[in-house]
Amino acid sequence: MSQPQSEPQQPSLSATATYTSPTNPPFQISSPLELSSSSPPSSSSNPTAEETKRQRIAHLAQLRKAASSIQASVNKELTSRMEQDKLREAEETSKSADSGPGSKKKKVKLVDDEAEEQNYGEEVVEDSD
């Protein structure tokens, strides 16, 4: 009795981004890539130029989709970490302004996120009051 032949398993592939920072814990985000081709396999062992072209186009489309997904996840994670850093910095600034002998509350300058975004990459000279 012959055993049914199973198709050889293709290795699983994924696109992965790894983030490390000296001040925050690292994180890694992966997006799986499917290895299915857009056309049925050829009866011969050598795919035609058209089949190869379709496979490459499908693979590049998957890579583009994975890169966009990873970028969105990285942006979300980094935005979250940035907000946590701002809160921690504001708390530390507040504590240091309230402590010390005969301390007078110092004027704490908060960052205007909207102005920062509008002026990103620009040198801004601030007026002294």
Side-chain angles (χ1 to χ4, degrees):
M1 199 179 260
S2 66
Q3 299 259 340
Q5 289 186 349
S6 62
E7 292 183 25
Q9 284 189 329
Q10 295 180 346
S12 64
L13 296 178
S14 65
T16 304
T18 303
Y19 175 85
T20 57
S21 165
T23 57
N24 291 311
F27 67 90
Q28 186 172 12
I29 298 173
S30 294
S31 181
L33 300 174
E34 296 176 17
L35 295 176
S36 61
S37 68
S38 60
S39 63
S42 173
S43 59
S44 67
S45 62
N46 295 328
T48 66
E50 186 62 31
E51 288 173 332
T52 301
K53 181 179 176 181
R54 281 191 213 134
Q55 289 172 349
R56 286 182 182 172
I57 290 170
H59 183 69
L60 289 174
Q62 287 180 10
L63 283 174
R64 181 178 295 124
K65 182 179 175 182
S68 294
S69 172
I70 288 172
Q71 182 177 10
S73 297
V74 167
N75 288 345
K76 185 176 179 180
E77 179 67 28
L78 291 178
T79 299
S80 170
R81 288 178 181 214
M82 185 175 68
E83 293 299 322
Q84 291 171 359
D85 289 345
K86 285 181 184 179
L87 288 173
R88 188 172 34 253
E89 186 177 300
E91 287 174 3
E92 290 171 3
T93 302
S94 174
K95 286 178 185 176
S96 67
D98 291 340
S99 63
S103 70
K104 296 178 183 174
K105 289 197 175 189
K106 298 178 183 177
K107 182 179 177 184
V108 178
K109 182 179 178 186
L110 298 176
V111 175
D112 182 357
D113 288 332
E114 189 173 321
E116 287 289 320
E117 190 170 324
Q118 285 178 346
N119 298 320
Y120 182 76
E122 308 264 335
E123 182 177 346
V124 177
V125 179
E126 294 182 16
D127 296 331
S128 58
D129 294 332

